[in-house]
């Protein structure tokens, strides 16, 4: 099975031959496999990265200094990152960016894709970058960042400090289908799309960006059980089922719970509506805009449906993923 894919050519700084010499030297020592979108994936600390992602990982580990008040939004790719960024940004900044008059379209989400509002640790240069300076977040109670890094690869300061980690996961089958669509949109024209069967085989072996998926999820699940005050573990499906409850849960975890006055003014519901897939996907910025990487904003709003995998996976594929879930999560009390 294949899908139509949009034309996309990664800018130079995202291409494998444009990474630093230091990164190239390290890459030459790492195990590698065929990539989903670019020539190769490289294994570092047990997880797989594109070359330019690996350079970002190294830079992040070397330079990022977490503060106790920081909040890191974490996920395996295609697990609800865009939605979580929108929600967290709006919750944290609700005093400086009021949503009471959102019909006037003054909120930053009307003019910015959520990925632009919340910097991604391994996708930003950490050298002389003002977004990592405390002064750039002076109007916000916390610095807010996102990452796809597995727990083992987080900067040491993120683990040692009192900064808070919010992890969102998603049904394994929906994660795979969403990732397959997304990575096909990033493939160069001459390559054509990856077949569903080829991508499925690689995903099941754990060979996908920031994969293996199961190890990524399980490590944060364990941390959330051992340190619940530091790590909040969320499930995408549960958030879709009761978004208002989880908006309040996030605010409490961030240390900025909603007041009785705010709840009486339906601020929670306003945040849920503003950040909903239905609202964000129809905004002009998310239909026509692009990120600095060249990725079109609309790529992040394909559907967001629960159970979309039913339109693509064969019974044999479903059985295989269910079996892998059982094997990988056995004894953890985690179900996806």
């Amino acid at each position: 099975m294949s899908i139509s894919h949009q034309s996309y050519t990664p800018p130079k700084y995202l291409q494998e031959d444009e990474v630093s010499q230091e990164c190239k030297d390290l890459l030459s020592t790492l195990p590698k496999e065929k990539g989903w979108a670019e020539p190769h994936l490289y294994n570092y600390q047990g997880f797989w990265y594109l070359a330019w992602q690996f350079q970002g990982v190294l830079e992040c580990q070397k330079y990022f200094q977490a503060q106790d008040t920081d909040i890191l939004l974490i996920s395996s790719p295609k697990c609800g990152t865009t939605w979580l960024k929108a929600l967290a940004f709006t919750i944290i900044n609700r005093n400086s960016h009021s949503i009471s008059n959102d019909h006037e379209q003054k909120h930053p989400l009307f003019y910015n894709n959520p990925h632009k509002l919340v910097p991604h640790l391994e996708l930003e240069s950490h050298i002389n970058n003002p977004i990592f300076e405390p002064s750039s977040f002076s109007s916000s109670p916390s610095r807010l960042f996102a990452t796809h890094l597995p727990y083992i690869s987080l900067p040491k300061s993120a683990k040692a400090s009192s900064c808070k980690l919010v992890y969102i996961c998603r049904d394994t089958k929906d994660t795979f289908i969403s990732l397959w669509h997304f990575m096909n949109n990033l493939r160069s024209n001459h390559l054509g799309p990856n077949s569903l069967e080829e991508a499925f085989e690689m995903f099941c072996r754990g060979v996908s960006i920031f994969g293996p998926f199961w190890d990524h999820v399980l490590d944060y699940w364990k941390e959330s059980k051992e340190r619940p005050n530091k790590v909040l573990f969320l499930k995408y499906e549960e958030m879709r089922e009761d978004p208002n409850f989880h908006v309040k849960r996030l605010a409490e975890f961030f240390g900025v719970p909603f007041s009785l006055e705010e709840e009486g003014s339906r601020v929670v519901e306003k945040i849920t509506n503003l950040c909903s897939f239905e609202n964000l996907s129809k905004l002009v910025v998310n239909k026509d805009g692009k990120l600095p990487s060249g990725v079109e904003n609309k790529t992040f709003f394909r559907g967001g449906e629960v159970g979309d995998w039913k339109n693509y996976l064969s019974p044999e594929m479903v059985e295989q993923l269910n079996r892998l879930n059982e094997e990988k999560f056995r004894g953890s009390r985690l179900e996806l």
Side-chain angles (χ1 to χ4, degrees), residues 82-83 236 240 272-283 286 298-305:
T82 307
W83 187 29
Y236 179 83
R240 285 295 301 267
T272 298
N273 292 334
L274 173 65
C275 299
S276 69
F277 178 89
E278 292 73 21
N279 181 63
L280 293 181
S281 62
K282 70 182 181 183
L283 298 179
N286 295 322
K298 63 183 179 182
T299 307
F300 298 100
F301 295 93
R302 188 182 66 85
E305 299 175 3

Side-chain angles (χ1 to χ4, degrees), residues 174-194:
D174 276 336
T175 298
F176 164 67
I177 290 300
S178 185
L179 183 63
W180 173 59
H181 279 283
F182 185 79
M183 295 306 294
N184 271 338
N185 280 327
L186 302 190
R187 284 172 66 88
S188 299
N189 296 341
H190 69 279
L191 294 176
N194 258 335

Side-chain angles (χ1 to χ4, degrees), residues 257-326:
F258 293 98
S259 66
L260 291 176
E261 181 180 357
E262 285 181 309
E263 293 204 34
S265 301
R266 302 183 62 83
V267 173
V268 174
E269 289 82 356
K270 290 176 182 178
I271 290 176
T272 298
N273 292 334
L274 173 65
C275 299
S276 69
F277 178 89
E278 292 73 21
N279 181 63
L280 293 181
S281 62
K282 70 182 181 183
L283 298 179
V284 174
V285 66
N286 295 322
K287 288 182 177 181
D288 302 330
K290 290 185 179 182
L291 296 180
S293 63
V295 179
E296 294 181 308
N297 290 345
K298 63 183 179 182
T299 307
F300 298 100
F301 295 93
R302 188 182 66 85
E305 299 175 3
V306 174
D308 185 44
W309 58 266
K310 296 175 183 177
N311 298 313
Y312 299 93
L313 298 179
S314 68
E316 293 75 20
M317 289 176 169
V318 173
E319 181 181 355
Q320 185 170 345
L321 286 179
N322 287 342
R323 185 170 62 251
L324 281 169
N325 281 346
E326 183 179 350

Side-chain angles (χ1 to χ4, degrees), residues 56 78 135 202 291 334:
K78 309 314 297 175
S135 58
M202 295 179 73
L291 296 180
L334 174 61

Side-chain angles (χ1 to χ4, degrees), residues 33-48:
E33 289 250 9
K34 176 185 175 183
W36 289 38
E38 295 184 39
H40 300 105
L41 286 168
Y42 296 87
N43 192 282
Y44 174 66
Q45 296 183 329
F47 292 81
W48 295 93

